[in-house]
Amino acid sequence: MVRMTDDFSAAPWLTGVIFKGHFEVGHLIARGGMAEVYHAVDLWSDNPVALKVLLPHLSTDPAQQQKFFREGSALKKIQHENVVGVIDEGTELVHGQQVMFLVLEYVHGCTLAQLMQLRPVLSVGEMLDVMIPAVEGLSEVHARHLIHRDIKPANILLEADTEGVKLSDFGLTRRADQSATGQLMGTPSFVAPEILDVASPVGPPADIFALGVMMYRMLTGRMPFAGADNDQQVLYHNMNTDIPSLTHLAEGISSDIAGVVSWCTRRSPRDRPQDATELYRALRDIE
């Protein structure tokens, strides 16, 4: 889970390195607890790319290695204009260390999370402009029998030039038929109730729940349980409390929009849209 950062006081240790003989690394553009992302250039085509590397202190941990390359494995199965594409992957010896990397499609723009820092509340039309392509991309993920499991505004990329929308960060992706691990994955505010119950199967409706919370945030400027003091309280509310109705917080929201958000955030996965395709059709009808 990589967060955009403006703190580049630490000198990026990979700047100037060339991966696989033709991906020249430039400046650091994002840093997270697991990985760093750099702007890079493919010297063969002169096209910009994003180079994502597993942090060196995690490179000897098999679990972290598996999580990192799960993203590349998932993305190689998905070819869709609204999903960030993977170009290459591998391991490179840099400064005496083995560095695991992914070369990803470069998206010039910002994340939805960054946009909402400037614009806390979006109009219904703006919300649909983001959600419809994002859900369309997720439809391809679900059609491949995969679950994203970390849907949130920081993982929705907005292209500055084309106004395109791309779904990113597939590090937590699992097959829909994989059993629960008993380990909490994802960002608490967007975690579906069934993820907290190791006895419950987790499928595409878990991603739908996160999309519902995201729509709620976009239209109201606040999270459903904004008064909760910590992650544990948020998780408790997600599992035991119905999300407040949009109509009490967002003036002028139609019953259709409020109904879709309520549908997506129901506590039982059986009561939500069963995959992104079903939600996509509902949003297109509203549009």
Side-chain angles (χ1 to χ4, degrees):
M1 293 173 282
V2 177
R3 295 176 175 83
M4 300 301 293
T5 177
D6 294 323
D7 178 15
F8 304 134
S9 55
W13 66 292
L14 292 178
T15 297
V17 174
I18 297 178
F19 281 68
K20 277 204 166 181
H22 63 107
F23 297 114
E24 184 175 13
V25 181
H27 61 275
L28 178 70
I29 55 176
R31 181 188 293 125
M34 178 182 169
E36 290 179 336
V37 179
Y38 289 79
H39 181 279
V41 175
D42 182 351
L43 298 175
W44 289 354
S45 64
D46 203 32
N47 289 329
V49 295
L51 188 118
K52 184 173 183 176
V53 299
L54 182 65
L55 293 175
H57 70 277
L58 301 176
S59 62
T60 57
D61 184 340
Q64 296 295 336
Q65 291 176 1
Q66 183 183 36
K67 188 185 300 183
F68 184 76
F69 272 125
R70 188 182 296 128
E71 178 169 11
S73 177
L75 287 172
K76 283 191 290 188
K77 298 175 183 177
I78 304 163
Q79 301 292 326
H80 194 279
E81 64 179 354
N82 298 121
V83 175
V84 170
V86 62
I87 297 168
D88 209 337
E89 62 180 330
T91 302
E92 189 90 7
L93 184 65
V94 181
H95 305 314
Q97 295 184 333
Q98 292 292 335
V99 178
M100 303 174 70
F101 70 92
L102 297 172
V103 181
L104 303 171
E105 176 186 6
Y106 178 71
V107 178
H108 175 63
C110 68
T111 68
L112 176 60
Q114 290 172 319
L115 173 64
M116 290 194 298
Q117 288 177 350
L118 301 174
R119 298 269 315 284
V121 179
L122 302 184
S123 70
V124 171
E126 290 169 328
M127 182 274 287
L128 291 173
D129 284 345
V130 173
M131 288 298 299
I132 286 176
V135 173
E136 186 177 7
L138 187 62
S139 297
E140 181 65 19
V141 177
H142 289 170
R144 299 287 179 178
H145 306 290
L146 298 169
I147 314 165
H148 187 284
R149 299 207 315 165
D150 198 20
I151 299 289
K152 60 183 179 181
N155 289 338
I156 305 295
L157 306 182
L158 310 177
E159 295 183 280
D161 299 333
T162 65
E163 298 185 357
V165 177
K166 289 185 182 287
L167 188 60
S168 71
D169 204 335
F170 286 73
L172 300 184
T173 300
R174 288 281 197 280
R175 294 197 317 271
D177 60 355
Q178 283 183 312
S179 59
T181 63
Q183 182 180 7
L184 176 63
M185 294 286 190
T187 302
S189 296
F190 301 91
V191 167
E194 63 270 22
I195 293 178
L196 303 174
D197 182 358
V198 295
S200 296
V202 176
D207 285 342
I208 300 300
F209 181 91
L211 289 169
V213 173
M214 196 162 70
M215 286 189 282
Y216 189 102
R217 168 65 181 82
M218 294 166 76
L219 293 171
T220 67
R222 52 166 281 176
M223 299 301 292
F225 304 115
D229 293 331
N230 55 53
D231 289 347
Q232 290 302 317
Q233 287 187 14
V234 171
L235 292 169
Y236 176 84
H237 281 304
N238 283 359
M239 194 168 189
N240 297 285
T241 310
D242 291 331
I243 284 179
S245 172
L246 267 181
T247 55
H248 298 311
L249 293 168
E251 186 177 347
I253 292 294
S254 72
S255 58
D256 287 342
I257 291 291
V260 166
V261 173
S262 175
W263 183 26
C264 290
T265 53
R266 289 174 184 165
R267 282 183 283 164
S268 171
R270 296 187 299 273
D271 295 334
R272 298 178 215 135
Q274 292 305 288
D275 58 26
T277 299
E278 189 173 1
L279 175 58
Y280 175 78
R281 291 178 182 135
L283 292 176
R284 287 303 300 267
D285 286 345
I286 290 172
E287 184 190 38

